[in-house]
Amino acid sequence: MNKTCPKCAETMPLDRFGRDKNRRDGLNPWCKACNAANARRHGQANREAISAKRKAQYAADPEPARKRVRQYTKRNAQMVRANKRRYYQENRGRHAAYMADYYRRDPRRCLDIIARAKAKKPEYYRLVSAASTTVRRARFRKVQQVPFTAAQLAQRLAYYGNRCWMCGAPAGTVDHVKPIVAGGPNMLANLRPACPPCNSGKAGRWPFQPKASPHT
Ligand SMILES: [Zn+2]
Ligand SMILES: [Zn+2]
């Protein structure tokens, strides 16, 4: 069956018309293309009024808008995450400047956001901080660096069961097998988990032979 759109005067199959349960035939009188064009035209002609109306609605009750964003984010989680990452990479400087400015305006809120993020993923943030410590130390000693992410570091440590590579005790620190002070590079291949006593006992000694290692 076909139906004629009075707007464009074209006769076409019913699936080219949107649904409208208030109409006798259950379909919009105009075809989808004409409806879309009309909505676009209306949006462009009334841009300011529409945006003012949305702002007023948001000010009166932000919850519906936030819910729409949450639902959209959930439905398109992968895309949203990819877009965020790309935007962050392309606008690194702007992002840093924005965050610095935000912090100046409202330090307490910033610290609050950071604290909440850390409380949610304590293990991840422990790794981020461990990774950035190694980068700082390596930069200070001017040794070679091959960048790695916190997730990659986690993988590397998990490879050793998150246990000290020298004594097998639960680790808690990241050891540079060839110490940074001895010119060891800051890269995954040179990193292993270590317990604090073994790590500080080993310190800058190189070459180093552990007494009884489960891994060498
Ligand atoms: Zn039409
Ligand atoms: Zn140990």
Side-chain angles (χ1 to χ4, degrees):
M1 232 183 34
N2 288 337
K3 175 175 155 99
T4 304
C5 169
K7 180 70 179 167
C8 62
E10 209 182 304
T11 300
M12 51 195 130
L14 295 184
D15 64 354
R16 301 263 300 268
F17 292 81
R19 267 182 241 279
D20 182 350
K21 58 177 185 287
N22 296 320
R23 297 278 168 175
R24 207 172 303 156
D25 66 353
L27 297 172
N28 274 322
W30 290 4
C31 71
K32 282 178 185 170
C34 284
N35 257 337
N38 192 48
R40 243 188 336 269
R41 214 164 28 238
H42 175 78
Q44 273 159 8
N46 302 283
R47 186 170 291 171
E48 273 161 45
I50 290 169
S51 127
K53 192 177 163 195
R54 285 215 185 110
K55 269 184 199 148
Q57 279 172 340
Y58 186 84
D61 179 12
E63 199 38 45
R66 285 182 186 156
K67 193 175 170 196
R68 276 198 300 277
V69 170
R70 275 200 302 275
Q71 282 169 342
Y72 178 88
T73 307
K74 207 171 167 187
R75 266 201 313 274
N76 305 284
Q78 263 192 334
M79 194 185 75
V80 169
R81 218 175 308 133
N83 282 346
K84 258 190 193 166
R85 193 172 304 139
R86 187 160 36 83
Y87 180 85
Y88 176 73
Q89 277 162 359
E90 283 168 5
N91 298 277
R92 228 169 241 277
R94 269 177 70 188
H95 179 76
Y98 174 81
M99 289 314 287
D101 186 54
Y102 188 8
Y103 184 80
R104 234 172 284 124
R105 271 181 291 138
D106 196 349
R108 191 173 300 165
R109 175 134 191 250
C110 271
L111 293 174
D112 207 51
I113 290 170
I114 293 167
R116 249 181 296 142
K118 284 188 174 174
K120 239 193 212 166
K121 296 183 342 186
E123 190 49 30
Y124 173 77
Y125 279 95
R126 208 180 59 73
L127 282 160
V128 169
S129 126
S132 65
T133 302
T134 69
V135 170
R136 252 196 325 273
R137 287 183 50 220
R139 212 174 274 158
F140 180 70
R141 295 281 174 186
K142 297 188 167 58
V143 297
Q144 188 204 348
Q145 300 227 39
V146 181
F148 52 86
T149 66
Q152 288 171 321
L153 177 59
Q155 227 171 35
R156 173 76 181 164
L157 300 180
Y159 175 79
Y160 290 90
N162 290 306
R163 293 187 162 266
C164 176
W165 72 274
M166 292 169 268
C167 76
T173 63
V174 178
D175 178 42
H176 287 80
V177 177
K178 180 173 183 185
I180 287 179
V181 289
N186 190 43
M187 60 196 286
L188 284 177
N190 192 34
L191 300 179
R192 289 181 191 182
C195 71
C198 284
N199 203 347
S200 57
K202 175 178 170 260
R205 280 191 286 147
W206 185 258
F208 174 80
Q209 245 342 295
K211 281 177 197 129
S213 161
H215 291 294
T216 50

